Amino acid sequence: MGNEFWTIFAAVATALAAVATAVSAIIIAYQTRATARAATATAESARETGRAADATEATVRAAIKSLELAQVQQKQTLYMVSEAVKARIDASMPRFRVLVENDIEWPPLLPAPFVDADPIPLRADHEFILPRDKDLRILVRLDITVINDGPGAAQFRFNELLTNGEDQLREAVLLPGETLSGYLYHVERTVQEWIEIYNQRTMGSSVVHEFTVTSVSPMDTGALDTARVDCGGTILEPAPSMEGHWKLVEPKGEDSLSIGTRPIQRRYYLSLRDNKLLPEYSWESLSLEPGI
């Protein structure tokens, strides 16, 4: 009896264990399948999110491209308007020339000792002694000619005085075909300043004295044309006689004065009265660059 009971009990326990194992396998299989379905759903959701992000990025890129195109089109319109304004200004501006004699009046001069007197020419062998003469002023004169080639009257302004010995000018009005001549421009410096220029030239630097002639537009929306005359070099060099003595350079020597003119430069203004420049646009800067 006892052995039979335990035999039956063991058989039942074994059967129950098999059932439990089968149930566990079913549960595990179900959980695995559910997990797979959840993973698939998550992946699909991620793909949908990615597609939505791609669509959003494409929309943003298109919007940026449209904005860039609108900006370029606006600049192109401004460029064409600016060029039209320039063309109108160009048609109204007088044409002029500034001529200067290449041969500078020599020898240099001491300023006139009193009003209505003439400057005093220096002797070619004159020597200046430092520090005694460091503040003594010496000048050279350049012969300047301004010609108005038309088509209309022109108003000119000079950055420094022009003189013909009697009159002094800082501005002048010339009719078409009229010429301003017989006036001299003075380059005046102290002995010490002329010496400093010489010293800078020996170190490879250069100092240029600039005289400008500016033609003023008759209209508020107009332009300023500026011609420049550069006077470089010096008039003094060390004298071999004694230290601290300086003499006039040779007129055609390496460090002597030289004259140069630069091309006329035109600046356009929306308003001369308000000193407001016309904005500058270059066609090269208006092309649309490749997008992001």
Side-chain angles (χ1 to χ4, degrees), residues 259-287:
I259 303 298
T261 57
R262 284 188 268 171
I264 293 174
Q265 293 183 332
R266 175 168 294 176
R267 301 186 73 187
Y268 295 93
Y269 287 80
L270 280 175
S271 174
L272 285 164
R273 181 179 57 253
D274 298 332
N275 195 33
K276 187 176 181 180
L277 289 168
L278 182 70
E280 288 288 341
Y281 299 97
S282 63
W283 186 256
E284 292 75 12
S285 67
L286 304 182
S287 60

Side-chain angles (χ1 to χ4, degrees), residues 125-269:
D125 62 350
H126 186 92
E127 291 191 5
F128 301 89
I129 303 173
L130 295 184
R132 184 193 67 188
D133 298 329
K134 67 182 181 67
D135 294 323
L136 188 66
R137 303 192 72 82
I138 311 174
L139 64 90
V140 293
R141 299 190 296 197
L142 311 180
D143 191 345
I144 300 290
T145 300
V146 181
I147 304 171
N148 178 15
D149 291 322
Q155 179 184 1
F156 296 99
R157 295 174 183 169
F158 314 116
N159 68 326
E160 297 192 36
L161 286 173
L162 287 178
T163 180
N164 62 359
E166 296 179 359
D167 300 323
Q168 293 183 331
L169 298 178
R170 286 297 292 265
E171 60 181 47
V173 175
L174 299 180
L175 298 175
E178 192 174 3
T179 298
L180 176 70
S181 61
Y183 281 82
L184 301 171
Y185 165 56
H186 292 186
V187 179
E188 183 175 332
R189 294 187 174 98
T190 65
V191 167
Q192 185 63 49
E193 289 170 337
W194 286 115
I195 291 173
E196 288 174 358
I197 293 174
Y198 172 87
N199 290 334
Q200 289 185 40
R201 288 176 64 84
T202 60
M203 294 186 293
S205 300
S206 61
V207 177
V208 175
H209 196 98
E210 183 180 84
F211 174 72
T212 63
V213 178
T214 301
S215 172
V216 184
S217 171
M219 303 181 298
D220 184 51
T221 299
L224 297 180
D225 284 347
T226 301
R228 290 175 170 80
V229 177
D230 294 335
C231 179
T234 186
I235 62 172
L236 297 179
E237 63 184 2
S241 58
M242 188 176 298
E243 185 176 354
H245 286 225
W246 293 76
K247 69 181 186 67
L248 296 176
V249 300
E250 293 297 325
K252 301 294 184 181
E254 180 181 352
D255 293 312
S256 63
L257 293 178
S258 60
I259 303 298
T261 57
R262 284 188 268 171
I264 293 174
Q265 293 183 332
R266 175 168 294 176
R267 301 186 73 187
Y268 295 93
Y269 287 80

Side-chain angles (χ1 to χ4, degrees), residues 2-3 59 67 77 93 97 110 138-139 151 155 190 221 238-239 260-261 263 291:
N3 291 335
T59 302
L67 177 61
T77 300
M93 289 296 292
R97 290 171 287 156
L110 295 175
I138 311 174
L139 64 90
Q155 179 184 1
T190 65
T221 299
T261 57

